[in-house]
Amino acid sequence: MIHASDRWESAILIALLSAIVLLTIVTAQRGRKYFVRRIPGLNAIDEAVGRATEMGRPILMVPGLSGLGVVGLQALTIFSYIIKTAAQFGNRLIMPTADSALYTVAEEVVRDSYTAAGKPEDYDPNSVYFLSDRQFAFASGVAGTIFREKVAASFLFGDFFAESLIFAEAGQQVGAIQVAGTVSTTQLPFFIASCDYTIIGDEYYAASAYISREPTLLGSLVGQDYCKIIILLVVLIGTIAMSIPALGAKWFFIQWFTL
Amino acid sequence: MSSFAENLQNIDRRYLYLTLLLIVVIGLLVPIPLPLAVGPQARGVYDAIEKADPRKLAIVSTLWSASTQGENRPQTRVIIEHLMRRKLKFALIAFGDPQSTILAYEVADELAPKYGYKYGRDWINFGFRADIAGTLKGMVRNIEETLKQDTKERKPLHQFPIMKGIRNFDDVGFIAEVSASANYVSWLGLVAGSTDAPFCYAPTSVMAPELYTYIDSGQIAGMLFGIKGAAEYERMLGIKGFTTRAITPVSLTLILLFVLIGLGNYGMFASRRQGGKA
Amino acid sequence: MIEYSHPVGIWIGAIGTLALFSLILKENWLYRLFEHMFIGLAAGYTIKAAWHEILKPQWWIPMTRDGQWPWAFALFGGFLFYTIFTKRYNWMSRISIGILLGFAAGQAFQATANLYIPQIRGSFKPLWVTQSMLPAGSQVTPLGQSLNNILFLVIIITVMTYFFFSFEQKNRVIQSTARTGRLMLMFAFGAIFGSTVMARMALLIDRVWFLMHRWLGIG
Amino acid sequence: MNLQKFLISAFPAAKGSMIWIAPLLVIACSVVLFFVLQSLPGRARKALIASLTFLAGLFYALEFFWPVRKGTDENFLTFAVPTVGNVINVLAAFTLGLGVFSLVRIHTGKVVKQREGWPNSAVLLISIVVMAVAGIRFENTLFFRSLFRDVLNSFDAAMFATLAFFIISAAYRAFRIKSAEATLLMVAALVVMLGQIPIGQYLTHWIPENGSFASIFRLDSISNWLLLTVNAPATRAIGFGLGIGGLAIALRLWLSLERGAFFEAKADES
């Protein structure tokens, strides 16, 4: 599907989902209160930061391999909340990045978070750095850092590929408390096997709303839930139609989604 | 005091690692004859090449880099070797990673003297293209116009004898893609409809499970399942290459994993029964 | 035939391989040395690739040979990123960052449609399958396929229920649906884990073979 | 109106000595633009960033939603897609200097101050120079090919291969019958692994492949079934959530609705 006109009905569904999200965002910004359920892994963040404080060892944050896009930015948003907590306790921070464009933003996010926490003087410009955009060169650098610094807590959020297990096992072996979340579903099993807490699926996108309780984000989250209900309904209707011989694949509703 | 059973559930990882390394080395040095059944998917690739029309061109598309060469290189090798045995004309084309054209070229270049294959007459390298969808869409209409020149000699395609009478996918008799990613979408979506050539796939074993749907539906004629697929293929070709050697340690390492998981669980239950900490 | 390998290169590659492997036992000075070499080489290669694959063909040549002078504005756009290091001008870096983000965001509509509409369509599976619906030569019986399709739907529903965030999952039915969803997820993750193992072993074997055969000449 | 023709006539290609003069003029304009931008008040800065972000996103959104011309698969913006793609690539490539600068700054600092491990930092700096120079100036030499293939590729593959070790220790530790979840994880993994390895397939290879009910008990059949009927819908259901989540965050960025550490453009502070 290159253009909406290739299959208008499908494109309208995408537009409809977008509209729903925008609508709930606007109502939330106008003061409507929304609820978000507990996400277990995220409650562990304070625990992890606390542990790092006790041990006096640094906290590692890796925003994944992807560039300047929604996934990497979401990781940085989550990190900015963690940094604000960590800044209160004076934890040392290490954030290696794998993309130069994302690195520039990361550097700003970290600096701003220290300022927002009221500790601009604690910000260490060497704590955020660009390491490599080559997957396994990056992995070798991060793994080496984990072992050398014996990190106390490790937060892996973003787009990860095969290197996920290198980070997670290295952290496991130095006894770090690890919280991970990724949009790469194929890497989730390895995080689950080696990390203390794993954020699964779109809990990743819900995380910033959960931690910040920002109305915009909560509104968006509610909208996303409505969208998922719509998709579920579409799947149900399609399935039922396919099961009725008189309707089948030729039925107009099914054709709407046939590219 | 820690009992034997408790130790079993906490074996120092260094012992695990050294055992693994040892098993790999021994497995590579001492070929232990382990049973290997040739599966229907590998046979599908074999039959497709056996049945391919020698007047038509075979296309081997590659999309892999050094990081997955453990599986993809032997796959590329067995397919090219079989094509050469059958004296089929073939072309290499690469997508995804610029490295993949160099790596695949090397494999073919190495085998060529053995079968008397001459570049430009019996085989050709179309080279790397960044935009797979655009390239394939163009090739469906006209291969020469889309690709323009080869990569080795950088000459227009029509100057090569191999390209005589080859216009589009109607003149292609066999397509295989050796890949570390999910590229089949482009091939099946954009090309499959405009050719009778069977489409075969040689993915890494991580990617392979995704493809069964298409094998089931007949869109993919055959598949080499990672390194195991290459080993099965070597067996059908009757050659003893790297994968025939490598398949022993592959099996041994997985058996090691089973044993370790067993020991860990045994240790956990045994120490629980003894009232130890689980 | 073009030569790709040189014995000196193979030696460095082999010693580096052993050094990088040594991390699994203990972090040590040799690992550290090769780690730094690796990162340096990778950065050097990135510079080469950025010039040869992007800047030269897509920017420099069009501008200086084909006379496409508006490309010089890209230099300004690129320069704005560098204001990030100054206190006074660093707001300007957000112009370029914003443009890049805008482009990334704008692609979301097409990307979402392309990625998920076919998956939605692919999830329309008949719950009651007859022989005529099966592809010719299929090994599955209609009953088997019906059960598979029902399971498919059940898993989609339960897993998606697990991911609803905006209401408390207090209702018994929803609670147990979400719980089933989570168990299904674990089952699926186990399958992913299992299907990855052989590929990883193959990579190790390839490396050990490189060390034994290409470097030491064994076998 | 044809946008493509309009743009070509509005920005004609430079010829002769103008090839060099025109870009220099653009750079001179850029300097002026820089100071004009700096003179903007805070509110205007914020609005400028938001509107440029919106316009950039609007290009792709419009290109997607605008109906195509009859008989083609193009609309009035389609011609520009490759160019805009190039612009993104070029802008992103320019940021590479920042990344490399960060790397060089940290390691030069270590070398100059002779801090612990400075020889490694020196090796890193030398490696950058050697690879970059070899790659750009001496690409067609055996030196570069060997450096790339024997050294850099070997390192890549070696690091990738350490996963074999890590996957063993992870599986050994995680695959315990502790809870329902861990047990399911383990059982599925074991079945799939058995279905993949030759010896596992051999265990059940005597069961006929085709045409009989028993064939579903072949290990490879069970493993395929797991991947197709259990893994596929679960992954898909996760995917739907991720797709919506991604779409939502893209909307928030595009329309500058996001509030948080970074996104609350602080242009008006400085």
Side-chain angles (χ1 to χ4, degrees):
Chain A
M1 186 168 182
I2 305 165
H3 292 105
S5 44
D6 295 345
R7 184 54 87 181
W8 276 113
E9 294 85 349
S10 296
I12 288 170
L13 177 71
I14 303 293
L16 176 74
L17 299 179
S18 310
I20 290 173
V21 172
L22 287 179
L23 200 71
T24 48
I25 288 179
V26 172
T27 54
Q29 285 182 338
R30 291 204 176 147
R32 188 153 169 207
K33 294 273 172 290
Y34 284 119
F35 168 87
V36 54
R37 77 157 160 86
R38 214 173 77 84
I39 301 175
L42 294 173
N43 294 339
I45 288 175
D46 290 343
E47 181 196 338
V49 173
R51 261 271 294 279
T53 315
E54 273 170 36
M55 298 167 101
R57 294 193 326 222
I59 298 177
L60 174 80
M61 293 179 190
V62 184
L65 282 195
S66 60
L68 191 55
V70 291
V71 180
L73 278 179
Q74 174 67 5
L76 292 180
T77 314
I78 299 171
F79 288 162
S80 78
Y81 297 112
I82 305 177
I83 295 168
K84 281 177 206 153
T85 314
Q88 302 299 331
F89 298 101
N91 290 114
R92 195 155 78 81
L93 170 80
I94 305 173
M95 191 192 287
T97 55
D99 178 87
S100 47
L102 192 71
Y103 155 73
T104 53
V105 181
E107 148 121 23
E108 278 236 75
V109 168
V110 176
R111 201 182 326 136
D112 289 354
S113 308
Y114 273 98
T115 313
K119 304 249 175 143
E121 69 284 357
D122 283 358
Y123 167 67
D124 170 13
N126 285 346
S127 61
V128 187
Y129 52 94
F130 170 79
L131 196 52
S132 181
D133 58 359
R134 201 176 173 86
Q135 185 183 11
F136 288 101
F138 183 68
S140 78
V142 174
T145 307
I146 292 174
F147 280 109
R148 277 194 290 280
E149 303 275 358
K150 298 217 168 1
V151 298
S154 149
F155 296 98
L156 311 168
F157 282 88
D159 238 334
F160 288 91
F161 301 92
E163 76 288 348
S164 65
L165 186 66
I166 298 181
F167 300 163
E169 273 295 293
Q172 233 284 331
Q173 290 174 10
V174 299
I177 181 161
Q178 306 196 83
V179 187
T182 179
V183 294
S184 334
T185 308
T186 46
Q187 299 308 325
L188 282 170
F190 305 107
F191 281 147
I192 290 174
S194 296
C195 293
D196 301 87
Y197 300 95
T198 307
I199 311 293
I200 298 172
D202 62 332
E203 287 177 346
Y204 179 76
Y205 288 120
S208 49
Y210 183 80
I211 308 175
S212 71
R213 309 280 159 164
E214 191 71 54
T216 307
L217 302 180
L218 286 176
S220 171
L221 200 56
V222 173
Q224 285 160 241
D225 269 6
Y226 288 139
C227 292
K228 283 184 268 181
I229 292 174
I230 290 178
I231 290 184
L232 207 49
L233 284 176
V234 169
V235 169
L236 271 175
I237 296 173
T239 305
I240 292 167
M242 287 292 274
S243 312
I244 301 173
L247 302 174
K250 296 252 162 8
W251 196 45
F252 74 94
F253 183 81
I254 306 228
Q255 286 298 313
W256 282 2
F257 300 97
T258 312
L259 297 182
Chain B
M1 203 190 78
S2 65
S3 69
F4 176 68
E6 260 178 52
N7 287 337
L8 276 186
Q9 53 169 332
N10 289 313
I11 305 173
D12 189 327
R13 65 190 158 83
R14 296 196 181 94
Y15 294 123
L16 307 184
Y17 295 160
L18 288 176
T19 318
L20 175 64
L21 201 59
L22 208 65
I23 279 184
V24 170
V25 173
I26 293 173
L28 278 170
L29 285 178
V30 189
I32 303 165
L34 288 172
L36 176 69
V38 175
Q41 285 94 25
R43 168 126 356 242
V45 182
Y46 188 89
D47 290 345
I49 294 186
E50 283 292 311
K51 283 183 204 140
D53 184 344
R55 284 165 303 180
K56 292 186 175 181
L57 184 72
I59 291 184
V60 179
S61 155
T62 54
L63 200 166
W64 51 278
S65 62
S67 53
T68 56
Q69 63 179 348
E71 297 198 284
N72 290 137
R73 188 195 293 275
Q75 289 172 332
T76 312
R77 203 186 151 88
V78 288
I79 290 176
I80 289 179
E81 180 138 20
H82 193 192
L83 290 172
M84 287 183 171
R85 270 197 194 178
R86 280 227 53 222
K87 298 272 167 235
L88 295 170
K89 303 184 286 183
F90 70 90
L92 299 175
I93 189 164
F95 298 105
D97 189 318
Q99 266 188 58
S100 57
T101 187
I102 305 170
L103 294 165
Y105 176 83
E106 253 180 77
V107 173
D109 195 37
E110 220 175 274
L111 284 169
K114 189 172 157 194
Y115 292 95
Y117 259 57
K118 193 167 165 267
Y119 187 85
R121 186 192 68 193
D122 307 307
W123 71 291
I124 190 167
N125 189 8
F126 288 157
F128 169 74
R129 293 293 184 287
D131 173 23
I132 179 163
T135 309
L136 290 182
K137 268 191 218 165
M139 283 171 76
V140 166
R141 265 174 290 176
N142 192 317
I143 292 178
E144 212 173 290
E145 248 171 44
T146 310
L147 300 173
K148 296 194 178 70
Q149 56 177 18
D150 81 315
T151 309
K152 192 192 175 202
E153 301 179 0
R154 300 203 179 275
K155 283 201 299 198
L157 290 183
H158 63 81
Q159 292 186 10
F160 293 98
I162 185 177
M163 293 306 291
K164 218 177 131 200
I166 307 292
R167 235 175 59 82
N168 54 27
F169 279 106
D170 285 334
D171 309 308
V172 171
F174 171 81
I175 302 169
E177 161 124 331
V178 186
S179 172
S181 94
N183 220 17
Y184 57 89
V185 185
S186 316
W187 280 101
L188 293 182
L190 301 170
V191 177
S194 46
T195 179
D196 300 328
F199 181 68
C200 293
Y201 209 74
T204 53
S205 32
V206 181
M207 294 301 310
E210 280 186 26
L211 292 159
Y212 280 97
T213 333
Y214 301 96
I215 294 172
D216 190 45
S217 62
Q219 287 164 285
I220 292 179
M223 171 173 84
L224 298 186
F225 194 124
I227 192 169
K228 187 192 76 181
E232 293 173 22
Y233 215 89
E234 282 191 354
R235 186 163 207 214
M236 282 187 284
L237 290 176
I239 48 177
K240 289 207 157 85
F242 169 65
T243 49
T244 308
R245 193 187 269 271
I247 205 67
T248 307
V250 165
S251 294
L252 290 180
T253 51
L254 283 157
I255 293 170
L256 170 72
L257 189 53
F258 288 125
V259 171
L260 289 176
I261 293 170
L263 287 179
N265 280 296
Y266 169 79
M268 190 179 74
F269 280 107
S271 65
R272 241 185 229 170
R273 226 178 358 225
Q274 290 165 9
K277 64 174 169 60
Chain C
M1 222 173 109
I2 311 168
E3 281 294 325
Y4 291 94
S5 283
H6 190 274
V8 176
I10 293 181
W11 269 84
I12 301 177
I15 295 170
T17 301
L18 286 174
L20 292 173
F21 275 3
S22 72
L23 179 73
I24 58 164
L25 297 179
K26 195 175 188 306
E27 207 271 343
N28 58 74
W29 67 272
L30 196 64
Y31 175 83
R32 226 168 295 159
L33 176 70
F34 277 93
E35 171 201 330
H36 283 80
M37 189 192 287
F38 191 5
I39 292 168
L41 290 176
Y45 192 79
T46 303
I47 296 173
K48 172 216 153 33
W51 173 250
H52 269 163
E53 272 151 47
I54 298 171
L55 290 179
K56 193 177 167 195
Q58 295 181 11
W59 177 69
W60 184 252
I61 301 258
M63 184 169 72
T64 60
R65 207 181 59 196
D66 309 338
Q68 296 177 9
W69 53 272
W71 276 112
F73 281 113
L75 194 65
F76 182 59
F79 163 77
L80 289 183
F81 282 108
Y82 291 75
T83 60
I84 208 155
F85 291 117
T86 66
K87 221 174 157 55
R88 195 161 160 199
Y89 302 110
N90 89 18
W91 73 272
M92 282 196 218
S93 64
R94 285 168 197 232
I95 297 177
S96 290
I97 291 171
I99 290 173
L100 277 188
L101 281 181
F103 281 134
Q107 289 169 336
F109 300 105
Q110 194 195 351
T112 312
N114 266 329
L115 214 57
Y116 297 106
I117 297 292
Q119 296 197 16
I120 290 177
R121 173 64 183 84
S123 307
F124 299 165
K125 290 165 179 266
L127 299 179
W128 182 250
V129 181
T130 57
Q131 189 68 50
S132 60
M133 289 179 184
L134 292 170
S138 175
Q139 296 160 34
V140 196
T141 59
L143 178 67
Q145 193 57 47
S146 305
L147 290 175
N148 279 346
N149 290 356
I150 292 168
L151 183 62
F152 193 97
L153 184 69
V154 167
I155 293 176
I156 287 211
I157 293 174
T158 53
V159 172
M160 284 188 80
T161 308
Y162 173 75
F163 285 114
F164 286 130
F165 297 106
S166 56
F167 51 88
E168 193 85 76
Q169 298 185 335
K170 272 188 183 147
N171 181 310
R172 270 300 257 300
V173 181
I174 290 177
Q175 227 174 33
S176 56
T177 312
R179 168 92 189 131
T180 316
R182 186 161 170 97
L183 292 179
M184 288 298 155
L185 277 177
M186 291 303 145
F187 213 45
F189 290 155
I192 295 176
F193 196 114
S195 72
T196 312
V197 174
M198 189 168 87
R200 301 294 182 254
M201 293 306 157
L203 295 171
L204 175 64
I205 290 161
D206 176 68
R207 278 300 89 190
V208 173
W209 183 241
F210 164 79
L211 290 176
M212 284 165 55
H213 187 68
R214 293 284 309 270
W215 182 43
L216 300 174
I218 304 170
Chain D
M1 186 195 68
N2 186 323
L3 185 64
Q4 186 173 11
K5 279 187 188 140
F6 168 74
L7 284 177
I8 289 173
S9 61
F11 300 98
K15 285 197 180 68
S17 56
M18 279 310 279
I19 282 189
W20 294 99
I21 298 172
L24 289 175
L25 285 176
V26 169
I27 290 170
C29 289
S30 303
V31 176
V32 177
L33 187 60
F34 181 83
F35 288 104
V36 171
L37 285 175
Q38 185 60 21
S39 69
L40 290 176
R43 281 181 71 95
R45 291 175 182 182
K46 220 166 154 174
L48 177 76
I49 295 168
S51 44
L52 285 176
T53 307
F54 176 74
L55 280 179
L58 189 65
F59 169 76
Y60 278 112
L62 266 186
E63 203 281 321
F64 176 65
F65 280 110
W66 200 271
V68 294
R69 281 190 288 262
K70 266 212 163 68
T72 65
D73 48 7
E74 295 185 1
N75 57 33
F76 76 107
L77 283 174
T78 309
F79 78 94
V81 170
T83 314
V84 172
N86 286 354
V87 171
I88 298 173
N89 281 339
V90 168
L91 279 182
F94 277 124
T95 65
L96 192 68
L98 285 165
V100 174
F101 174 71
S102 147
L103 205 58
V104 170
R105 188 195 55 184
I106 289 177
H107 290 278
T108 321
K110 274 193 185 167
V111 172
V112 170
K113 290 180 192 150
Q114 308 241 320
R115 288 233 297 274
E116 199 197 331
W118 68 268
N120 290 329
S121 297
V123 168
L124 186 145
L125 295 170
I126 295 167
S127 304
I128 298 183
V129 175
V130 169
M131 183 53 115
V133 172
I136 292 176
R137 302 287 317 162
F138 307 100
E139 201 188 359
N140 290 315
T141 57
L142 178 60
F143 175 76
F144 174 71
R145 284 197 298 268
S146 176
L147 186 64
F148 177 68
R149 215 196 114 159
D150 297 329
V151 181
L152 186 57
N153 273 352
S154 285
F155 291 0
D156 262 335
M159 207 60 210
F160 203 168
T162 58
L163 278 169
F165 298 104
F166 290 134
I167 215 168
I168 286 263
S169 52
Y172 168 68
R173 202 184 47 245
F175 291 168
R176 298 276 163 90
I177 309 178
K178 281 184 293 210
S179 60
E181 290 184 10
T183 310
L184 280 174
L185 198 70
M186 181 184 94
V187 169
L190 291 183
V191 170
V192 171
M193 279 193 281
L194 265 179
Q196 281 191 350
I197 57 167
I199 213 159
Q201 288 183 332
Y202 201 79
L203 286 177
T204 54
H205 87 288
W206 48 271
I207 303 177
E209 183 105 23
N210 289 313
S212 96
F213 174 69
S215 68
I216 60 170
F217 293 106
R218 284 173 63 103
L219 263 169
D220 42 347
S221 311
I222 302 177
S223 143
N224 290 346
W225 175 83
L226 252 177
L227 288 161
L228 282 179
T229 314
V230 178
N231 183 36
T235 314
R236 193 168 289 181
I238 298 177
F240 288 150
L242 284 174
I244 299 294
L247 183 67
I249 187 170
L251 283 168
R252 302 198 303 260
L253 287 174
W254 181 36
L255 304 172
S256 299
L257 293 168
E258 189 93 24
R259 307 223 171 128
F262 175 72
F263 310 102
E264 183 78 302
K266 48 154 199 176
D268 43 1
E269 286 169 20
S270 45

